[in-house]
Amino acid sequence: MDDDYNIAIVVHGPGIVDTGYAKKIINLLSDYGDTTAILGGTMGRTAVIDASLEDTINIEKKLLPSQSISYMTKNNDIVFLLNYGKSTITGHTFGYKVFNKTDNAPLVQIERPGEDDGCMIIWNSDIDIQLVETISNILNLPIVSKTKATNMVESLTGYSHEDDIIKRKVAGVSAGENIMMNGIIIGKATDDQLIIYSKDNQIIRMEGGKIKQHGLEKLGKVDLSTAIIKTGLLRKSDNIKPRIIKKEKTQRITAVYLDHAADDIYQYKDENIIVSVGDDTTLLSSDILYRFNTPIIGITDGDLDKIVEEGFKLENSIIIQVESGYDDIMGRLIFDKIFHNNIIIEVESFDKLKENILKLLDDNISYNIIDKQLKD
């Protein structure tokens, strides 16, 4: 066996990092050639930071998993996709959809290592099978063929056109889970069989799920056949230990206005204060920016979808809960009167900004200060 491979590793999601398998597999593969690891998607970034792996796994490029694979294929002999899905079904479905968005990449998926149903899927047989078999033996994971994985996925998922209606089945769903499409929560599952329908690029109904109308308004037009759909928690771990990264103090104090834009949070990690509008945006920005010692002033209305197991919050952060449906209205007022329609402004201090926001709210609406959004 040739021991001088150029090996690419695409790490997807927090699960594979939180279990410790991302680090273990990267170290293992490094024994068989030159390895380069990159994050696929954005949801695993916090887990990489908590695990102090940002020097091992590139988290700077904001690429979808399929884009990361295509990017890494250019200069590597083989690409290993590391994933830890909720189940065999969701893991196989994820790999199937990602592989079909690449140009027949030399891809091997390592799915749910350490679990009884863990496996390695060979999505492209034009690779060195000996290397795959060696890794399979070391990790004690059976090898699954592309045909077998494809048959499983296509029997449970897929989409069809009926006149001008697109119908898409979603696999691996459990009742009570959030339904997220292209990063926005659009509903909640009520059954383990979920079918979503769209017409003219608008979601019109669900079978096995209850639509969240406000989420659909934020989502807007969408191609249901290619949309990224996820269900459940963004990060689930029994023992998350957030890593606090020290930030250098600056004379200039900046505040950022963040309105229902969870994907943009990391680009503001070096700013001083975040004013976040919306329950889920506040929960996620508070949790992420806890690591960077960045306090938030959150404007919420109690319409929270549980997207993480536990949300971390700095002691000096403040969460302001207004009347139902008024978080957007108050957010726009703050953006107009305090931020003067700028995303980033310079402020005197955190306390002064908080004082100005509370005074503005006092003049317009009743509210409560709450300790935390997630309740036991």
Side-chain angles (χ1 to χ4, degrees):
M1 181 174 61
D2 184 1
D3 288 343
D4 194 24
Y5 297 95
N6 288 319
I7 300 171
I9 303 163
V10 175
V11 179
H12 176 258
I16 194 72
V17 179
D18 287 335
T19 58
Y21 272 100
K23 182 178 181 180
K24 178 179 178 180
I25 294 170
I26 290 170
N27 289 340
L28 170 62
L29 291 173
S30 68
D31 291 337
Y32 297 90
D34 294 327
T35 57
T36 308
I38 188 172
L39 190 68
T42 59
M43 297 306 176
R45 194 180 300 182
T46 305
V48 171
I49 290 170
D50 286 346
S52 299
L53 290 175
E54 65 266 34
D55 291 335
T56 301
I57 303 169
N58 185 335
I59 60 174
E60 297 303 317
K61 291 186 178 296
K62 191 177 179 182
L63 299 174
L64 296 172
S66 58
Q67 293 172 329
S68 293
I69 291 166
S70 297
Y71 172 76
M72 298 294 272
T73 298
K74 299 173 186 176
N75 300 310
N76 290 281
D77 305 310
I78 188 169
V79 181
F80 284 90
L81 172 61
L82 312 187
N83 188 58
Y84 202 99
K86 290 187 301 177
S87 65
T88 301
I89 296 170
T90 59
H92 282 53
T93 301
F94 167 72
Y96 169 87
K97 292 186 179 298
V98 166
F99 176 72
N100 286 326
K101 290 179 181 177
T102 69
D103 186 18
N104 203 32
L107 183 66
V108 176
Q109 179 177 349
I110 299 180
E111 179 63 43
R112 290 174 60 81
E115 299 292 342
D116 292 340
D117 59 354
C119 67
M120 292 176 64
I121 306 171
I122 300 179
W123 289 109
N124 184 339
S125 58
D126 188 23
I127 55 175
D128 189 327
I129 189 65
Q130 192 175 354
L131 173 62
V132 177
E133 288 177 343
T134 299
I135 302 303
S136 166
N137 290 331
I138 294 172
L139 294 176
N140 193 29
L141 292 173
I143 294 174
V144 174
S145 69
K146 175 185 176 182
T147 300
K148 183 176 180 181
T150 297
N151 288 342
M152 173 192 281
V153 173
E154 290 185 348
S155 68
L156 296 169
T157 65
Y159 65 93
S160 60
H161 289 263
E162 299 174 3
D163 297 325
D164 56 349
I165 304 291
I166 294 180
K167 170 185 174 183
R168 179 167 167 183
K169 294 187 290 184
V170 182
V173 179
S174 297
E177 290 183 332
N178 293 318
I179 303 165
M180 183 179 290
M181 184 174 292
N182 290 351
I184 295 173
I185 294 174
I186 62 164
K188 191 174 289 289
T190 57
D191 198 346
D192 58 1
Q193 301 290 324
L194 175 65
I195 304 176
I196 303 176
Y197 296 80
S198 73
K199 181 179 181 180
D200 298 328
N201 287 335
Q202 298 279 0
I203 305 302
I204 56 173
R205 71 185 179 98
M206 294 180 186
E207 289 179 15
K210 183 180 179 181
I211 284 176
K212 181 179 181 180
Q213 197 60 43
H214 187 46
L216 290 189
E217 292 169 3
K218 288 189 286 182
L219 179 67
K221 288 187 176 293
V222 64
D223 183 351
L224 180 57
S225 63
T226 59
I228 298 172
I229 301 174
K230 297 180 180 180
T231 61
L233 297 168
L234 296 181
R235 187 180 185 190
K236 184 176 182 179
S237 177
D238 296 331
N239 190 26
I240 294 175
K241 295 180 180 178
R243 171 178 160 227
I244 309 301
I245 298 173
K246 289 185 178 180
K247 184 188 299 184
E248 291 184 10
K249 289 186 177 181
T250 58
Q251 289 185 335
R252 182 172 176 262
I253 301 174
T254 55
V256 174
Y257 180 83
L258 190 63
D259 181 9
H260 296 100
D263 282 347
D264 294 329
I265 292 171
Y266 277 98
Q267 68 177 298
Y268 299 125
K269 63 182 175 61
D270 295 324
E271 307 297 341
N272 303 106
I273 309 162
I274 300 291
V275 176
S276 61
V277 178
D279 290 75
D280 299 303
T281 300
T282 294
L283 176 64
L284 204 55
S285 59
S286 173
D287 183 65
I288 290 171
L289 295 173
Y290 180 90
R291 277 101 178 145
F292 301 97
N293 203 31
T294 303
I296 64 156
I297 300 174
I299 312 298
T300 71
D301 72 350
D303 181 24
L304 177 68
D305 297 295
K306 189 176 180 183
I307 52 177
V308 294
E309 193 83 66
E310 179 181 1
F312 294 94
K313 180 175 79 73
L314 291 171
E315 283 188 12
N316 59 333
S317 288
I318 179 173
I319 299 173
I320 305 165
Q321 188 168 301
V322 298
E323 296 173 27
S324 179
Y326 277 81
D327 55 344
D328 290 337
I329 296 170
M330 291 300 102
R332 286 192 292 270
L333 189 63
I334 291 168
F335 189 57
D336 179 29
K337 299 298 184 183
I338 294 178
F339 280 77
H340 304 295
N341 298 308
N342 295 302
I343 298 296
I344 302 178
I345 60 172
E346 190 169 341
V347 297
E348 180 181 328
S349 67
F350 177 86
D351 288 338
K352 186 64 177 177
L353 176 61
K354 179 176 72 174
E355 178 186 320
N356 290 340
I357 288 175
L358 291 177
K359 185 177 186 304
L360 183 63
L361 296 181
D362 283 333
D363 293 339
N364 288 276
I365 199 171
S366 61
Y367 60 85
N368 292 308
I369 306 297
I370 62 173
D371 178 52
K372 62 185 298 186
Q373 292 171 276
L374 290 179
K375 304 296 182 184
D376 295 331

